[in-house]
Amino acid sequence: MLSSCRLAHHCLAALCALLVLLLIPAFSQVQRTPIERGLLNWFGPEHSLPLRTSNEWSSWQSWSPCSRTCGGGAAVRTRQCIKRDSAGPDCPGDTRQYQACNMKDCPSGVTDFRHFQCSAYNNKALMGNYYRWVPFQSGQGDCELSCLAQGQNFYYNFGRVLDGTSCRTENNGICINGQCLKVGCDFILGSDEKTDICGVCGGQNVSCQHHHNVYTTKYPASGLFGYNEVTMIPAGATNIKVTDKSNNYLALRNQNYHYVINGNWAINYPGIFNVAGTKVQYKRSADNRETFEATGPTDEDLHVMVLFTELNTGIEYEYWLPKNYYINHQRDRSSLQETVETALSPTLSPTTPSPTTTAHSVLRQTTQKKRPPQARHERDNIELNRISESKRDDKCGKCRKVKGRQNKIKQYCQKDFVFRGRIVSKKIVGKETCYDVQVVITYKNNFPILRREYMWVPNTCDCPSLLEKREYILMARRHVNYEKTLNRILLESDSFVRLYKPKEDKMLRDLDQECAKYGYQTHPKLNQ
């Protein structure tokens, strides 16, 4: 009897120990997910996923609405610390994160955000009196709402400004909970991320290429007190800087060839100008040093110009382009924009590559390596890009003149260039005539055109008749031959040409609507 009781006692103890071993892991803080338990059952403990025993963050929740609709505001998102080990350390980092949003400037007429916060106290009594309040720089703190009582000699501190208010002294900071947090390039407040020289947030200055040059033309061919193009800065450029140390004036045009700084012989005051999706800072010192500076990236081409008042001592310019932009820019630069100073070939043929280049319209040389077709060479009708055979000198005949308003509208709508130009000089080159033209004003140009261009006429018969030192309204087209070795402005014998008169200028400005009215197809314009 005694031995059987001892046996029952031992069996009961073994059963209790087994229950303890099975139940304790199930109620411990370290638990396995169903997937982990499945892996453990099927493959054994050596193949199971590692246990997650430390505390960790949950995923970020979505961003809250922006505190402002313009002028820079703040949005917030939160996360939770998942507690798995009560004795372990807390999750590192913050439970809240702030992001700058709606950073574009507010339209003109919108009340300043600090002014709006001060005016909220206009109808509230202070020491039994009512005042009208305006922002005041008290020096107490960037994120303190200090307001001056209008008509009085005191100010009052109403506490912290609202979250999302711009800091006073930190140009790139936003107030959150009374603290001025700098905005990183990732738009996270308090972030240390910075934009590299290439405009890449957190980059290593390896995705772009530096372009640096000096414009050294001493004296413009058009004479003093005229504009000349220094360079074209392509879209996508960053860290732009242009410097001139002479008595000349820098100027800037956008991709539509409209002046935005120092245009039309009117000099602007130094300041910041919103151009091409960035802010261009124009500086001019007492010693005549001028600079254009922009962080970028730009969203359109910019044309740097110079207004000559004396000999040029050198204009230095530099910028950075993404590597793929830089390669395309160097490969695809329109030959109409080149300014290489070389002589004209006396035996130039309209369909034969020339071994030399001109000062204003450079002839592109072909290479053995094939390149993909470029958009600027594509046309709706290939035949329009063919040049008719030049007439022989001894059979010129009478020049045909474009007559009638209908034909004038047709040429305006179908030609690539419509401009007012002054004939500087004329030269016979083989069986063609080359005119050196100073472009006074453009009414339409489907392709870039400079202040000074060469214009070609495929005959030597003075058809159309153009006299030197005279100004004309000219309608020409762009000529790119089949081999793509020529890229120039072509004035055909039946092109519209008129001696300039003020009434012609007014009539040309109203022809855009006529193109649609008569059903003519037009290319997108680069300028108005």
Side-chain angles (χ1 to χ4, degrees), residues 17 50 113 121 133 152 295 323 366 405 486:
F113 198 32
Y121 294 93
W133 302 96
Q152 307 295 325
T295 302
K323 287 185 176 179
T366 58
R405 176 176 171 81
L486 297 180

Side-chain angles (χ1 to χ4, degrees), residues 51-81:
L51 295 176
R52 292 181 293 178
T53 60
S54 61
N55 300 329
E56 63 180 6
W57 288 111
S58 66
S59 300
W60 285 107
Q61 296 180 356
S62 59
W63 290 104
S64 69
C66 191
S67 61
R68 298 189 63 194
T69 58
C70 63
V76 63
R77 64 179 180 178
T78 60
R79 59 181 177 177
Q80 301 295 327
C81 182

